Amino acid sequence: MKSHFYLLRTSIKNRFKDVLRKPGKLVLYLLIVLGFIGALAASLFGATQSKGDLPASYLLAVFFAFLTLFYGMAIQKGLASGDAIFEMNDVNLLFVSPVNPRATLLYGIIRLAGMSFWAGFFILFQGSTLANFGVGFGGVLILFVAFILNMMVLTLLTLVIYSITNGKPVRKRIVRIFAVAIFFPLIVSFITSYLTNGDFFLSLNNIIASPILAVTPFIGWASAGAISLINGNLLAGFGWLALLFFSGVGMLLYIMLSRSDYYEDALVATETAYEKKRAATEGDVQATGSTMAKVKVKKTGLSGKGAHVFLYKHLRETFRKNRFGFFSMYTIITAGFIIGASIFVLNGDYIITVLQVLMWIQIFMIGTGRGLLEIYSHYLYMIPSSPFKKAVWSNMELIARTFVESVLFLCIPGLLMRSNPIIILCSMLVYVLFSFLLLGVNYLSMRWTETNISQGIEIMIYFFVVVLFMAPGLVAALIIGYSMHSFGGTVLALLILSGWELTVAFVCFALSKNILHNCDMPSMKQAAK
């Protein structure tokens, strides 16, 4: 085990030396640390101002729904290629060395704990939000620890699923059935309660108050354990978390005892992740988004001239990857959730709340667009057109997808909530143009920092830049909206905000046009790390 700790210690030391040798990166990381400290202080201050307007039981449902997203991703990874708890240098150094395989697995679990720590680090900055549930900073730390434990257990679940189902279609179908079946008691209980009383929110409260939510494997145990500890019920809290912990221990023992040579299972996910990173470095855009699914090529050929060809290229790629085009799993689930909730919320004012939540989600999703990936490919540099046109048209497919999302996320739910059609159209305009602004910020960051700050730990700087660019438009819109406090004021505020987004987007694109004059940008490799 000494060799494993040496490798871990040396890796951390080398990364620290790498930062010290590059002043630009050092300044960037110092700004990130200061941003973390500032956000953490603000979160701590917000947590001390705890009002507790919402019952803590609602937090149980929110945390449960949040963990369900990671549960779904864990099941999907397990059925595909497993999860990567090692890096390729671990494979090259440890898998071929005469060391105990079980010690190597323990080393991977230690690395997994570190990755889970950074994955859940943002929870520490939600003190002001969680204060609405009466949660202080101690409660925030409890949620943080529960999230880390849950992520580690779900990763082990991914490895177990892959080990059991690899190359066995029948077992994969059985796993899918069981993965969904754990939610059947919740669904049946909710439907029974709703048919009895006819009240959606009362039925939801009954589900939250019942033990059915808590006994749901993994995510229910983590949620119930964290909320019980926050409420001061130590016996129940530690009991649920112990159940989660020992389930992880059981899966770890299964991996160690059932197959001492687990390297083959762990290697698939590690190699897949490594190949995607290398493909991004070499500019192979298609390989970065490749999956195990079969691609049926029904139509070929492109349309358009000059920079316009990228729109048709990306549309062709989108429909080859998914037969339903823009209707991805994320789009369908999100639309289903919003439309389902809007049926029971007959208040048109909530359309603005939905818009706010969607704009926050957009900040995370914008980096997945095909246009930004074109930066790492040679085709974009070979088109004889202006850099501005190429930057705009290479992202037009993303704008079209955002428009389709605005119809599903805002238009249909807004009509169901009986919102004013003009406000719905203005909200859709704000949503679409916000994605245009985020693209401009991404290109501008590449132009001046030679890296995509919307990925990795630099996302803190990305948040700061987005808020800074949006601030004048947001302030003007809020002043108009609150001063007029009428239908006309809401419409005018949304129009001002959308106009500001469009202006800032064009300014960012104009300032970043020279990014396409250098096809050997260092960011091509930095973004792949």
mmCIF file with all atom_site columns, all heavy atoms in Angstrom, residues 34-58:
data_model
loop_
_atom_site.group_PDB
_atom_site.id
_atom_site.type_symbol
_atom_site.label_atom_id
_atom_site.label_alt_id
_atom_site.label_comp_id
_atom_site.label_asym_id
_atom_site.label_entity_id
_atom_site.label_seq_id
_atom_site.pdbx_PDB_ins_code
_atom_site.Cartn_x
_atom_site.Cartn_y
_atom_site.Cartn_z
_atom_site.occupancy
_atom_site.B_iso_or_equiv
_atom_site.pdbx_formal_charge
_atom_site.auth_seq_id
_atom_site.auth_comp_id
_atom_site.auth_asym_id
_atom_site.auth_atom_id
_atom_site.pdbx_PDB_model_num
ATOM 1   N N   . LEU A 1 34 ? -10.129 32.704 -3.912 1.00 0.00 ? 34 LEU A N   1
ATOM 2   C CA  . LEU A 1 34 ? -10.779 33.869 -3.310 1.00 0.00 ? 34 LEU A CA  1
ATOM 3   C C   . LEU A 1 34 ? -12.283 33.840 -3.547 1.00 0.00 ? 34 LEU A C   1
ATOM 4   O O   . LEU A 1 34 ? -13.075 34.212 -2.670 1.00 0.00 ? 34 LEU A O   1
ATOM 5   C CB  . LEU A 1 34 ? -10.177 35.155 -3.892 1.00 0.00 ? 34 LEU A CB  1
ATOM 6   C CG  . LEU A 1 34 ? -8.723  35.450 -3.511 1.00 0.00 ? 34 LEU A CG  1
ATOM 7   C CD1 . LEU A 1 34 ? -8.223  36.702 -4.230 1.00 0.00 ? 34 LEU A CD1 1
ATOM 8   C CD2 . LEU A 1 34 ? -8.607  35.640 -2.000 1.00 0.00 ? 34 LEU A CD2 1
ATOM 9   N N   . GLY A 1 35 ? -12.671 33.393 -4.742 1.00 0.00 ? 35 GLY A N   1
ATOM 10  C CA  . GLY A 1 35 ? -14.100 33.272 -5.024 1.00 0.00 ? 35 GLY A CA  1
ATOM 11  C C   . GLY A 1 35 ? -14.757 32.235 -4.130 1.00 0.00 ? 35 GLY A C   1
ATOM 12  O O   . GLY A 1 35 ? -15.867 32.437 -3.626 1.00 0.00 ? 35 GLY A O   1
ATOM 13  N N   . PHE A 1 36 ? -14.066 31.106 -3.916 1.00 0.00 ? 36 PHE A N   1
ATOM 14  C CA  . PHE A 1 36 ? -14.590 30.074 -3.017 1.00 0.00 ? 36 PHE A CA  1
ATOM 15  C C   . PHE A 1 36 ? -14.760 30.618 -1.598 1.00 0.00 ? 36 PHE A C   1
ATOM 16  O O   . PHE A 1 36 ? -15.790 30.406 -0.953 1.00 0.00 ? 36 PHE A O   1
ATOM 17  C CB  . PHE A 1 36 ? -13.647 28.880 -2.988 1.00 0.00 ? 36 PHE A CB  1
ATOM 18  C CG  . PHE A 1 36 ? -13.897 27.878 -4.064 1.00 0.00 ? 36 PHE A CG  1
ATOM 19  C CD1 . PHE A 1 36 ? -12.843 27.273 -4.728 1.00 0.00 ? 36 PHE A CD1 1
ATOM 20  C CD2 . PHE A 1 36 ? -15.184 27.527 -4.417 1.00 0.00 ? 36 PHE A CD2 1
ATOM 21  C CE1 . PHE A 1 36 ? -13.079 26.337 -5.724 1.00 0.00 ? 36 PHE A CE1 1
ATOM 22  C CE2 . PHE A 1 36 ? -15.429 26.589 -5.414 1.00 0.00 ? 36 PHE A CE2 1
ATOM 23  C CZ  . PHE A 1 36 ? -14.367 25.997 -6.068 1.00 0.00 ? 36 PHE A CZ  1
ATOM 24  N N   . ILE A 1 37 ? -13.730 31.334 -1.126 1.00 0.00 ? 37 ILE A N   1
ATOM 25  C CA  . ILE A 1 37 ? -13.779 31.867 0.241  1.00 0.00 ? 37 ILE A CA  1
ATOM 26  C C   . ILE A 1 37 ? -14.917 32.879 0.376  1.00 0.00 ? 37 ILE A C   1
ATOM 27  O O   . ILE A 1 37 ? -15.667 32.877 1.358  1.00 0.00 ? 37 ILE A O   1
ATOM 28  C CB  . ILE A 1 37 ? -12.432 32.509 0.613  1.00 0.00 ? 37 ILE A CB  1
ATOM 29  C CG1 . ILE A 1 37 ? -11.339 31.431 0.668  1.00 0.00 ? 37 ILE A CG1 1
ATOM 30  C CG2 . ILE A 1 37 ? -12.526 33.224 1.949  1.00 0.00 ? 37 ILE A CG2 1
ATOM 31  C CD1 . ILE A 1 37 ? -9.940  31.985 0.891  1.00 0.00 ? 37 ILE A CD1 1
ATOM 32  N N   . GLY A 1 38 ? -15.045 33.762 -0.624 1.00 0.00 ? 38 GLY A N   1
ATOM 33  C CA  . GLY A 1 38 ? -16.117 34.754 -0.587 1.00 0.00 ? 38 GLY A CA  1
ATOM 34  C C   . GLY A 1 38 ? -17.493 34.121 -0.616 1.00 0.00 ? 38 GLY A C   1
ATOM 35  O O   . GLY A 1 38 ? -18.388 34.497 0.149  1.00 0.00 ? 38 GLY A O   1
ATOM 36  N N   . ALA A 1 39 ? -17.662 33.148 -1.514 1.00 0.00 ? 39 ALA A N   1
ATOM 37  C CA  . ALA A 1 39 ? -18.965 32.476 -1.608 1.00 0.00 ? 39 ALA A CA  1
ATOM 38  C C   . ALA A 1 39 ? -19.264 31.691 -0.339 1.00 0.00 ? 39 ALA A C   1
ATOM 39  O O   . ALA A 1 39 ? -20.409 31.648 0.133  1.00 0.00 ? 39 ALA A O   1
ATOM 40  C CB  . ALA A 1 39 ? -18.990 31.557 -2.815 1.00 0.00 ? 39 ALA A CB  1
ATOM 41  N N   . LEU A 1 40 ? -18.222 31.061 0.237  1.00 0.00 ? 40 LEU A N   1
ATOM 42  C CA  . LEU A 1 40 ? -18.415 30.296 1.460  1.00 0.00 ? 40 LEU A CA  1
ATOM 43  C C   . LEU A 1 40 ? -18.788 31.208 2.626  1.00 0.00 ? 40 LEU A C   1
ATOM 44  O O   . LEU A 1 40 ? -19.647 30.880 3.444  1.00 0.00 ? 40 LEU A O   1
ATOM 45  C CB  . LEU A 1 40 ? -17.137 29.516 1.782  1.00 0.00 ? 40 LEU A CB  1
ATOM 46  C CG  . LEU A 1 40 ? -17.227 28.426 2.856  1.00 0.00 ? 40 LEU A CG  1
ATOM 47  C CD1 . LEU A 1 40 ? -18.243 27.375 2.440  1.00 0.00 ? 40 LEU A CD1 1
ATOM 48  C CD2 . LEU A 1 40 ? -15.872 27.782 3.080  1.00 0.00 ? 40 LEU A CD2 1
ATOM 49  N N   . ALA A 1 41 ? -18.132 32.390 2.695  1.00 0.00 ? 41 ALA A N   1
ATOM 50  C CA  . ALA A 1 41 ? -18.473 33.353 3.743  1.00 0.00 ? 41 ALA A CA  1
ATOM 51  C C   . ALA A 1 41 ? -19.902 33.853 3.588  1.00 0.00 ? 41 ALA A C   1
ATOM 52  O O   . ALA A 1 41 ? -20.644 33.996 4.567  1.00 0.00 ? 41 ALA A O   1
ATOM 53  C CB  . ALA A 1 41 ? -17.486 34.531 3.699  1.00 0.00 ? 41 ALA A CB  1
ATOM 54  N N   . ALA A 1 42 ? -20.285 34.131 2.328  1.00 0.00 ? 42 ALA A N   1
ATOM 55  C CA  . ALA A 1 42 ? -21.662 34.582 2.082  1.00 0.00 ? 42 ALA A CA  1
ATOM 56  C C   . ALA A 1 42 ? -22.659 33.492 2.447  1.00 0.00 ? 42 ALA A C   1
ATOM 57  O O   . ALA A 1 42 ? -23.737 33.763 3.002  1.00 0.00 ? 42 ALA A O   1
ATOM 58  C CB  . ALA A 1 42 ? -21.824 34.978 0.611  1.00 0.00 ? 42 ALA A CB  1
ATOM 59  N N   . SER A 1 43 ? -22.306 32.238 2.131  1.00 0.00 ? 43 SER A N   1
ATOM 60  C CA  . SER A 1 43 ? -23.186 31.122 2.478  1.00 0.00 ? 43 SER A CA  1
ATOM 61  C C   . SER A 1 43 ? -23.299 30.962 3.990  1.00 0.00 ? 43 SER A C   1
ATOM 62  O O   . SER A 1 43 ? -24.385 30.721 4.517  1.00 0.00 ? 43 SER A O   1
ATOM 63  C CB  . SER A 1 43 ? -22.654 29.831 1.853  1.00 0.00 ? 43 SER A CB  1
ATOM 64  O OG  . SER A 1 43 ? -23.440 28.727 2.218  1.00 0.00 ? 43 SER A OG  1
ATOM 65  N N   . LEU A 1 44 ? -22.169 31.113 4.695  1.00 0.00 ? 44 LEU A N   1
ATOM 66  C CA  . LEU A 1 44 ? -22.175 31.008 6.149  1.00 0.00 ? 44 LEU A CA  1
ATOM 67  C C   . LEU A 1 44 ? -23.017 32.112 6.767  1.00 0.00 ? 44 LEU A C   1
ATOM 68  O O   . LEU A 1 44 ? -23.794 31.886 7.698  1.00 0.00 ? 44 LEU A O   1
ATOM 69  C CB  . LEU A 1 44 ? -20.742 31.060 6.681  1.00 0.00 ? 44 LEU A CB  1
ATOM 70  C CG  . LEU A 1 44 ? -20.559 30.983 8.203  1.00 0.00 ? 44 LEU A CG  1
ATOM 71  C CD1 . LEU A 1 44 ? -21.141 29.667 8.722  1.00 0.00 ? 44 LEU A CD1 1
ATOM 72  C CD2 . LEU A 1 44 ? -19.095 31.106 8.581  1.00 0.00 ? 44 LEU A CD2 1
ATOM 73  N N   . PHE A 1 45 ? -22.890 33.332 6.240  1.00 0.00 ? 45 PHE A N   1
ATOM 74  C CA  . PHE A 1 45 ? -23.688 34.444 6.741  1.00 0.00 ? 45 PHE A CA  1
ATOM 75  C C   . PHE A 1 45 ? -25.176 34.213 6.468  1.00 0.00 ? 45 PHE A C   1
ATOM 76  O O   . PHE A 1 45 ? -26.030 34.490 7.305  1.00 0.00 ? 45 PHE A O   1
ATOM 77  C CB  . PHE A 1 45 ? -23.247 35.753 6.085  1.00 0.00 ? 45 PHE A CB  1
ATOM 78  C CG  . PHE A 1 45 ? -24.072 36.943 6.485  1.00 0.00 ? 45 PHE A CG  1
ATOM 79  C CD1 . PHE A 1 45 ? -23.881 37.549 7.719  1.00 0.00 ? 45 PHE A CD1 1
ATOM 80  C CD2 . PHE A 1 45 ? -25.049 37.445 5.635  1.00 0.00 ? 45 PHE A CD2 1
ATOM 81  C CE1 . PHE A 1 45 ? -24.653 38.641 8.091  1.00 0.00 ? 45 PHE A CE1 1
ATOM 82  C CE2 . PHE A 1 45 ? -25.817 38.539 5.992  1.00 0.00 ? 45 PHE A CE2 1
ATOM 83  C CZ  . PHE A 1 45 ? -25.622 39.141 7.235  1.00 0.00 ? 45 PHE A CZ  1
ATOM 84  N N   . GLY A 1 46 ? -25.483 33.693 5.279  1.00 0.00 ? 46 GLY A N   1
ATOM 85  C CA  . GLY A 1 46 ? -26.876 33.416 4.945  1.00 0.00 ? 46 GLY A CA  1
ATOM 86  C C   . GLY A 1 46 ? -27.460 32.331 5.832  1.00 0.00 ? 46 GLY A C   1
ATOM 87  O O   . GLY A 1 46 ? -28.632 32.376 6.199  1.00 0.00 ? 46 GLY A O   1
ATOM 88  N N   . ALA A 1 47 ? -26.623 31.351 6.171  1.00 0.00 ? 47 ALA A N   1
ATOM 89  C CA  . ALA A 1 47 ? -27.110 30.269 7.028  1.00 0.00 ? 47 ALA A CA  1
ATOM 90  C C   . ALA A 1 47 ? -27.408 30.761 8.441  1.00 0.00 ? 47 ALA A C   1
ATOM 91  O O   . ALA A 1 47 ? -28.311 30.244 9.106  1.00 0.00 ? 47 ALA A O   1
ATOM 92  C CB  . ALA A 1 47 ? -26.084 29.135 7.068  1.00 0.00 ? 47 ALA A CB  1
ATOM 93  N N   . THR A 1 48 ? -26.651 31.763 8.913  1.00 0.00 ? 48 THR A N   1
ATOM 94  C CA  . THR A 1 48 ? -26.908 32.293 10.252 1.00 0.00 ? 48 THR A CA  1
ATOM 95  C C   . THR A 1 48 ? -28.187 33.113 10.305 1.00 0.00 ? 48 THR A C   1
ATOM 96  O O   . THR A 1 48 ? -28.750 33.312 11.373 1.00 0.00 ? 48 THR A O   1
ATOM 97  C CB  . THR A 1 48 ? -25.721 33.167 10.697 1.00 0.00 ? 48 THR A CB  1
ATOM 98  O OG1 . THR A 1 48 ? -25.533 34.228 9.739  1.00 0.00 ? 48 THR A OG1 1
ATOM 99  C CG2 . THR A 1 48 ? -24.450 32.351 10.789 1.00 0.00 ? 48 THR A CG2 1
ATOM 100 N N   . GLN A 1 49 ? -28.639 33.606 9.141  1.00 0.00 ? 49 GLN A N   1
ATOM 101 C CA  . GLN A 1 49 ? -29.891 34.369 9.083  1.00 0.00 ? 49 GLN A CA  1
ATOM 102 C C   . GLN A 1 49 ? -31.064 33.437 8.796  1.00 0.00 ? 49 GLN A C   1
ATOM 103 O O   . GLN A 1 49 ? -31.927 33.724 7.984  1.00 0.00 ? 49 GLN A O   1
ATOM 104 C CB  . GLN A 1 49 ? -29.792 35.443 7.984  1.00 0.00 ? 49 GLN A CB  1
ATOM 105 C CG  . GLN A 1 49 ? -28.568 36.328 8.089  1.00 0.00 ? 49 GLN A CG  1
ATOM 106 C CD  . GLN A 1 49 ? -28.520 37.118 9.378  1.00 0.00 ? 49 GLN A CD  1
ATOM 107 O OE1 . GLN A 1 49 ? -29.522 37.662 9.811  1.00 0.00 ? 49 GLN A OE1 1
ATOM 108 N NE2 . GLN A 1 49 ? -27.352 37.183 9.995  1.00 0.00 ? 49 GLN A NE2 1
ATOM 109 N N   . SER A 1 50 ? -31.082 32.298 9.457  1.00 0.00 ? 50 SER A N   1
ATOM 110 C CA  . SER A 1 50 ? -32.065 31.256 9.169  1.00 0.00 ? 50 SER A CA  1
ATOM 111 C C   . SER A 1 50 ? -33.450 31.678 9.642  1.00 0.00 ? 50 SER A C   1
ATOM 112 O O   . SER A 1 50 ? -33.658 31.940 10.821 1.00 0.00 ? 50 SER A O   1
ATOM 113 C CB  . SER A 1 50 ? -31.644 29.942 9.847  1.00 0.00 ? 50 SER A CB  1
ATOM 114 O OG  . SER A 1 50 ? -32.608 28.963 9.651  1.00 0.00 ? 50 SER A OG  1
ATOM 115 N N   . LYS A 1 51 ? -34.383 31.748 8.694  1.00 0.00 ? 51 LYS A N   1
ATOM 116 C CA  . LYS A 1 51 ? -35.768 32.091 9.015  1.00 0.00 ? 51 LYS A CA  1
ATOM 117 C C   . LYS A 1 51 ? -36.652 30.850 9.090  1.00 0.00 ? 51 LYS A C   1
ATOM 118 O O   . LYS A 1 51 ? -37.603 30.821 9.855  1.00 0.00 ? 51 LYS A O   1
ATOM 119 C CB  . LYS A 1 51 ? -36.314 33.049 7.946  1.00 0.00 ? 51 LYS A CB  1
ATOM 120 C CG  . LYS A 1 51 ? -35.586 34.389 7.903  1.00 0.00 ? 51 LYS A CG  1
ATOM 121 C CD  . LYS A 1 51 ? -36.196 35.284 6.840  1.00 0.00 ? 51 LYS A CD  1
ATOM 122 C CE  . LYS A 1 51 ? -35.475 36.628 6.773  1.00 0.00 ? 51 LYS A CE  1
ATOM 123 N NZ  . LYS A 1 51 ? -36.047 37.505 5.724  1.00 0.00 ? 51 LYS A NZ  1
ATOM 124 N N   . GLY A 1 52 ? -36.364 29.858 8.274  1.00 0.00 ? 52 GLY A N   1
ATOM 125 C CA  . GLY A 1 52 ? -37.140 28.635 8.317  1.00 0.00 ? 52 GLY A CA  1
ATOM 126 C C   . GLY A 1 52 ? -38.567 28.806 7.861  1.00 0.00 ? 52 GLY A C   1
ATOM 127 O O   . GLY A 1 52 ? -39.498 28.322 8.520  1.00 0.00 ? 52 GLY A O   1
ATOM 128 N N   . ASP A 1 53 ? -38.770 29.525 6.761  1.00 0.00 ? 53 ASP A N   1
ATOM 129 C CA  . ASP A 1 53 ? -40.121 29.726 6.245  1.00 0.00 ? 53 ASP A CA  1
ATOM 130 C C   . ASP A 1 53 ? -40.724 28.421 5.727  1.00 0.00 ? 53 ASP A C   1
ATOM 131 O O   . ASP A 1 53 ? -41.940 28.248 5.739  1.00 0.00 ? 53 ASP A O   1
ATOM 132 C CB  . ASP A 1 53 ? -40.109 30.768 5.120  1.00 0.00 ? 53 ASP A CB  1
ATOM 133 C CG  . ASP A 1 53 ? -39.644 32.127 5.620  1.00 0.00 ? 53 ASP A CG  1
ATOM 134 O OD1 . ASP A 1 53 ? -39.871 32.411 6.809  1.00 0.00 ? 53 ASP A OD1 1
ATOM 135 O OD2 . ASP A 1 53 ? -39.054 32.884 4.824  1.00 0.00 ? 53 ASP A OD2 1
ATOM 136 N N   . LEU A 1 54 ? -39.890 27.488 5.248  1.00 0.00 ? 54 LEU A N   1
ATOM 137 C CA  . LEU A 1 54 ? -40.353 26.224 4.690  1.00 0.00 ? 54 LEU A CA  1
ATOM 138 C C   . LEU A 1 54 ? -40.031 25.095 5.652  1.00 0.00 ? 54 LEU A C   1
ATOM 139 O O   . LEU A 1 54 ? -38.981 25.102 6.299  1.00 0.00 ? 54 LEU A O   1
ATOM 140 C CB  . LEU A 1 54 ? -39.692 25.960 3.335  1.00 0.00 ? 54 LEU A CB  1
ATOM 141 C CG  . LEU A 1 54 ? -39.960 27.002 2.235  1.00 0.00 ? 54 LEU A CG  1
ATOM 142 C CD1 . LEU A 1 54 ? -39.117 26.697 1.000  1.00 0.00 ? 54 LEU A CD1 1
ATOM 143 C CD2 . LEU A 1 54 ? -41.441 27.023 1.867  1.00 0.00 ? 54 LEU A CD2 1
ATOM 144 N N   . PRO A 1 55 ? -40.905 24.107 5.765  1.00 0.00 ? 55 PRO A N   1
ATOM 145 C CA  . PRO A 1 55 ? -40.623 22.980 6.672  1.00 0.00 ? 55 PRO A CA  1
ATOM 146 C C   . PRO A 1 55 ? -39.454 22.140 6.170  1.00 0.00 ? 55 PRO A C   1
ATOM 147 O O   . PRO A 1 55 ? -39.233 22.007 4.962  1.00 0.00 ? 55 PRO A O   1
ATOM 148 C CB  . PRO A 1 55 ? -41.930 22.175 6.656  1.00 0.00 ? 55 PRO A CB  1
ATOM 149 C CG  . PRO A 1 55 ? -42.608 22.571 5.384  1.00 0.00 ? 55 PRO A CG  1
ATOM 150 C CD  . PRO A 1 55 ? -42.212 23.995 5.114  1.00 0.00 ? 55 PRO A CD  1
ATOM 151 N N   . ALA A 1 56 ? -38.726 21.556 7.110  1.00 0.00 ? 56 ALA A N   1
ATOM 152 C CA  . ALA A 1 56 ? -37.556 20.748 6.747  1.00 0.00 ? 56 ALA A CA  1
ATOM 153 C C   . ALA A 1 56 ? -37.948 19.495 5.978  1.00 0.00 ? 56 ALA A C   1
ATOM 154 O O   . ALA A 1 56 ? -37.130 18.935 5.251  1.00 0.00 ? 56 ALA A O   1
ATOM 155 C CB  . ALA A 1 56 ? -36.783 20.372 8.013  1.00 0.00 ? 56 ALA A CB  1
ATOM 156 N N   . SER A 1 57 ? -39.213 19.068 6.122  1.00 0.00 ? 57 SER A N   1
ATOM 157 C CA  . SER A 1 57 ? -39.657 17.883 5.382  1.00 0.00 ? 57 SER A CA  1
ATOM 158 C C   . SER A 1 57 ? -39.614 18.125 3.880  1.00 0.00 ? 57 SER A C   1
ATOM 159 O O   . SER A 1 57 ? -39.397 17.192 3.101  1.00 0.00 ? 57 SER A O   1
ATOM 160 C CB  . SER A 1 57 ? -41.070 17.494 5.814  1.00 0.00 ? 57 SER A CB  1
ATOM 161 O OG  . SER A 1 57 ? -41.986 18.567 5.577  1.00 0.00 ? 57 SER A OG  1
ATOM 162 N N   . TYR A 1 58 ? -39.827 19.367 3.452  1.00 0.00 ? 58 TYR A N   1
ATOM 163 C CA  . TYR A 1 58 ? -39.732 19.680 2.028  1.00 0.00 ? 58 TYR A CA  1
ATOM 164 C C   . TYR A 1 58 ? -38.309 19.505 1.518  1.00 0.00 ? 58 TYR A C   1
ATOM 165 O O   . TYR A 1 58 ? -38.083 19.142 0.366  1.00 0.00 ? 58 TYR A O   1
ATOM 166 C CB  . TYR A 1 58 ? -40.200 21.109 1.765  1.00 0.00 ? 58 TYR A CB  1
ATOM 167 C CG  . TYR A 1 58 ? -41.698 21.290 1.810  1.00 0.00 ? 58 TYR A CG  1
ATOM 168 C CD1 . TYR A 1 58 ? -42.539 20.251 2.200  1.00 0.00 ? 58 TYR A CD1 1
ATOM 169 C CD2 . TYR A 1 58 ? -42.294 22.501 1.476  1.00 0.00 ? 58 TYR A CD2 1
ATOM 170 C CE1 . TYR A 1 58 ? -43.909 20.399 2.255  1.00 0.00 ? 58 TYR A CE1 1
ATOM 171 C CE2 . TYR A 1 58 ? -43.681 22.669 1.520  1.00 0.00 ? 58 TYR A CE2 1
ATOM 172 C CZ  . TYR A 1 58 ? -44.475 21.616 1.912  1.00 0.00 ? 58 TYR A CZ  1
ATOM 173 O OH  . TYR A 1 58 ? -45.834 21.767 1.958  1.00 0.00 ? 58 TYR A OH  1
#
